[in-house]
Amino acid sequence: MSGTMYHVSDRRIQTWSLEAHLVDHCNLRCANCCTLSPFLPKKAMPVEILARDLERAARALRPHVFKLTGGEPLLHPDIVSCLELAKAAAISEAIQVTTNGFLLRRAPPAFWELIDRLTLSLYSSAPLPSREVEWIRKTCEESRVLLTIKDVERFAVMDVRTRWKSEAERAALYDACWLKVRCHLLYEGFFYKCTRPPHLAQIRRDEGGAADDGVDLEGPDLAGRILSYLEDPEPLGTCWDCCGASGGFEEHVQSAR
Ligand code: SF4
Ligand code: SF4
């Protein structure tokens, strides 16, 4: 492909989406959770870190939608402040929360005023009672929030049992992986092409974290550095330990504690 696959306008790169993980942990334990929440310790994103990252990222990126997710984002002790920051940063026209729905009743009125979209994932292995789904539908309607309901009966397998054995395998996997375009992540001072690097680094206990697989939000020419990174055809180091979109599917189940 010649030229860039990303459009740059007003020195900001237009992208499909950008997400922030408000917490690493979750109230469910889905096997094959793509953010590895069942394996991660309880951790909430400090509001001041999110504010700093958003302020920097908004100078270089213009995602179609900004997603607050996790883990389960409703577990964040101050989700309203996180939403206020996302609005104030004006990083995107659409602010979305992605949730399993179990904790939505505890969301204060300001939550419903601040979000534009809600994506509700309904898992076959942990069914949300239908009265709750109806309440969520009604509340979204009253709050003029665009609701998307995803029925999930199977999950993509992303974790590898053993590392890929050859460069060719890793390169083919990376080429076929759509997540590198659709699942960009803002996490603790870095921008990543996908959600896997910081969480896998944590599980592997890599001392340097996932810095080599992301872009430091601090420093000059952030838009230029992110654009070069997004267009780099080289796979990430993390791709050694990930199936991307090539791992097939398994039935959705909750894993044992
Ligand atoms: S609800 Fe979502 S974040 Fe939580 S374990 Fe399941 S897939 Fe992971
Ligand atoms: S680590 Fe590599 S294969 Fe896995 S989701 Fe990210 S880009 Fe795709």
Side-chain angles (χ1 to χ4, degrees):
M1 186 190 304
S2 65
T4 176
M5 65 179 286
Y6 289 94
H7 184 66
V8 181
S9 173
D10 288 335
R11 286 181 285 183
R12 291 169 73 188
I13 308 160
Q14 296 184 358
T15 57
W16 183 270
S17 76
L18 179 66
E19 60 189 78
H21 293 176
L22 295 193
V23 295
D24 288 350
H25 54 295
C26 189
N27 51 343
L28 296 183
R29 293 182 58 81
C30 306
N32 292 311
C33 168
C34 67
T35 57
L36 299 153
S37 291
F39 303 105
L40 297 174
K42 192 173 170 184
K43 182 166 137 197
M45 165 94 68
V47 172
E48 57 277 13
I49 300 279
L50 181 65
R52 181 202 64 189
D53 289 355
L54 268 170
E55 189 265 326
R56 289 174 177 165
R59 288 190 229 140
L61 292 162
R62 181 72 176 156
H64 179 58
V65 56
F66 182 67
K67 301 176 183 176
L68 296 171
T69 178
E72 170 49 53
L74 271 296
L75 287 169
H76 194 282
D78 193 0
I79 191 169
V80 167
S81 291
C82 297
L83 286 165
E84 285 171 346
L85 284 171
K87 279 277 182 199
I91 193 164
S92 172
E93 279 179 12
I95 306 296
Q96 175 182 311
V97 167
T98 303
T99 174
N100 59 40
F102 282 92
L103 304 175
L104 272 173
R105 288 260 189 187
R106 66 160 76 164
F111 170 90
W112 297 101
E113 287 159 19
L114 286 162
I115 63 172
D116 302 300
R117 302 180 182 190
L118 186 83
T119 294
L120 177 64
S121 301
L122 298 179
Y123 299 109
S124 54
S125 65
L128 187 66
S130 54
R131 66 173 182 282
E132 292 304 303
V133 178
E134 278 322 301
W135 179 83
I136 293 165
R137 259 190 228 281
K138 191 163 161 285
T139 307
C140 283
E141 210 176 293
E142 288 168 0
S143 311
R144 300 190 179 192
V145 170
L146 181 64
L147 173 66
T148 302
I149 296 183
K150 288 188 177 170
D151 288 302
V152 185
E153 293 181 358
R154 53 187 202 144
F155 251 21
V157 176
M158 295 184 74
D159 303 331
V160 293
R161 272 52 175 188
T162 55
R163 285 193 144 199
W164 298 107
K165 290 185 179 57
S166 72
E167 281 289 353
E169 277 179 318
R170 185 174 66 129
L173 162 106
Y174 178 78
D175 280 347
C177 180
W178 53 264
L179 290 97
K180 64 183 186 283
V181 177
R182 299 279 291 264
C183 299
H184 297 167
L185 173 69
L186 212 53
Y187 193 87
E188 293 187 339
F190 283 79
F191 170 84
Y192 297 98
K193 287 180 192 183
C194 68
T195 61
R196 305 284 281 175
H199 300 313
L200 271 169
Q202 202 179 343
I203 285 166
R204 285 194 310 252
R205 302 195 179 167
D206 285 354
E207 280 192 13
D212 290 348
D213 274 349
V215 175
D216 193 336
L217 295 172
E218 190 178 4
D221 189 23
L222 179 58
R225 286 186 291 122
I226 289 180
L227 194 59
S228 304
Y229 164 77
L230 286 174
E231 295 186 330
D232 187 349
E234 283 300 308
L236 303 176
T238 308
C239 302
W240 282 117
D241 295 312
C242 180
C243 293
S246 306
F249 290 87
E250 280 180 355
E251 187 188 347
H252 196 266
V253 293
Q254 295 295 303
S255 52
R257 190 158 288 278

